[in-house]
Amino acid sequence: MSDTMPMSEARRYQQLRGHLSYLKLNDAAEALPRVLDQARAERMTLTTALEKLLEIEVEATEARKLSSRLRFACLPEPWTLNDFDFAAQPGVDEKLIRDLATLRFLDNASNVLLVGPPGVGKTMLAVVLARSAVDAGHRVYFTTAAELAAKCHKAALEDRWSSIMRFFAGPRLLVIDELGYLPLPGDGASALFQVINQRYLKSSTILTTNVGIADWAGAFGDATVAAAMLDRLLHRAAVVGIDGPSYRLRSHQSHSDNLRKGVTGRAG
C-alpha cells in the first residue's frame, strides 16, 4: 500500500480494517492492503474490489467449515472417488457407485449396504462416499460396529443413553464399518438396532459387512433383532454386493512390485 496515502484516506483505511475486524471478517481485514493495491494497479471498479475482498473471506470461511466437518467425521483415510481403481475391482458396479457419489440417496434418507468378503474395497468405498458428503457440506460420522456398540454400552452404564442416541441420530450420514468382523457384546445388537431405528426415514446410513443378508440372524444370534434391523435398513436402500478379487491384496502387490523395481533399478 502506498506510503503517500493522504491522512484522511489513511484514517478511512484504518476505520475499514477496524470494521472488518469488528465483524470478525479477519481474513478480509488481513487481505485488505493487498486488494487495495491490486485495485489501484488494475483500476478495478469499487464493486469488483469489494467482491474480491469478500470472496477471500468466503473461501477462508468455507475452508474452516470443511476442516471442522472432517475432524468431526473421523474418516480413517482421506480417500476420494478418484483414488478408487475400478479396473482393479471388477466386482464393483462403477455406474452405481458414481450415482451414489452424487449423494441423491441423502435426499430421501436412503441407506447403502456394502456387502462382501474382507479386502474387496468396502471400507474404501464407504469412505469415498462419506468424503463426498463432507465436501458437499453435510455432517458425517464414521465408526466401526464394535466402536458403536462399545460407546452405547458405556453410555448405558453412565446413564447417558438418551445423549448417545441423539449423537448417533444427528449426522446426515452415519457410516458403520466392519459389521460382522468382531462379535458384538451382549447388548451390541440391540444398541445397533436402536441407532438404526432412530435414523429410520430421517437420515442415511452406510453399512459395510462381510455377512450376507441371509445370514444376519445367525451372525447376531437374535433373529428378531436382525429382521427388524434389516427391515429398516432395506426399506430404502442400495445394496452393493462385491464378489471380486481382494482389492487390498492387489494394492499391496502393486506396492511391493514398485518397491522391487526401484531396488532393482538402483542395483543396476
Side-chain angles (χ1 to χ4, degrees):
M1 192 168 54
S2 174
D3 293 333
T4 61
M5 184 187 296
M7 182 58 71
S8 60
E9 188 175 352
R11 194 157 42 239
R12 194 172 296 115
Y13 164 78
Q14 293 298 336
Q15 287 178 334
L16 178 54
R17 280 207 65 158
H19 292 331
L20 292 171
S21 298
Y22 180 79
L23 294 171
K24 301 189 186 305
L25 304 177
N26 297 321
D27 289 277
E30 184 177 342
L32 182 60
R34 183 172 76 254
V35 173
L36 288 177
D37 284 344
Q38 185 181 1
R40 288 193 186 90
E42 300 177 12
R43 298 187 177 183
M44 292 180 185
T45 65
L46 180 60
T47 303
T48 301
L50 183 58
E51 190 276 332
K52 183 170 289 292
L53 185 67
L54 293 180
E55 181 184 32
I56 291 170
E57 185 66 38
V58 168
E59 289 178 350
T61 299
E62 285 302 310
R64 286 193 295 271
K65 287 182 177 180
L66 173 60
S67 179
S68 177
R69 291 194 303 271
L70 283 171
R71 283 196 303 273
F72 178 81
C74 296
L75 301 180
E77 296 287 346
W79 292 318
T80 67
L81 188 59
N82 291 333
D83 294 315
F84 193 85
D85 185 357
F86 288 97
Q89 182 47 281
V92 171
D93 185 339
E94 180 176 356
K95 183 178 179 182
L96 174 58
I97 296 301
R98 291 194 180 278
D99 182 66
L100 290 171
T102 66
L103 306 176
R104 290 188 299 166
F105 73 95
L106 296 180
D107 294 337
N108 61 350
S110 292
N111 305 310
V112 179
L113 274 66
L114 296 158
V115 186
V120 295
K122 300 185 302 297
T123 296
M124 187 173 186
L125 288 172
V127 171
V128 162
L129 296 176
R131 178 58 190 263
S132 295
V134 171
D135 289 344
H138 300 296
R139 200 160 181 252
V140 175
Y141 187 73
F142 181 101
T143 184
T144 65
E147 287 170 348
L148 182 149
K151 286 181 179 179
C152 288
H153 180 70
K154 187 171 186 289
L157 293 177
E158 297 173 354
D159 197 26
R160 294 186 294 105
W161 186 257
S162 295
S163 64
I164 198 68
M165 286 296 109
R166 283 196 300 273
F167 175 82
F168 282 120
R172 182 77 181 277
L173 176 61
L174 175 66
V175 180
I176 304 173
D177 194 28
E178 298 181 344
L179 180 65
Y181 283 76
L182 296 173
L184 298 176
D187 57 353
S190 175
L192 181 59
F193 165 73
Q194 292 191 59
V195 168
I196 297 299
N197 192 48
Q198 288 270 340
R199 300 178 59 78
Y200 179 52
L201 300 181
K202 298 173 185 173
S203 304
S204 297
T205 301
I206 294 177
L207 192 147
T208 76
T209 180
N210 63 331
V211 179
I213 290 174
D215 300 322
W216 276 36
F220 293 119
D222 189 324
T224 302
V225 170
M229 199 172 349
L230 278 171
D231 179 63
R232 286 155 179 76
L233 284 169
L234 296 177
H235 181 196
R236 295 177 185 167
V239 179
V240 183
I242 308 174
D243 186 19
S246 174
Y247 185 94
R248 189 179 300 135
L249 287 179
R250 176 161 176 164
S251 177
H252 288 325
Q253 184 62 50
S254 175
H255 181 63
S256 298
D257 289 345
N258 288 337
L259 286 176
R260 189 160 45 249
K261 288 175 182 176
V263 171
T264 304
R266 287 196 298 273

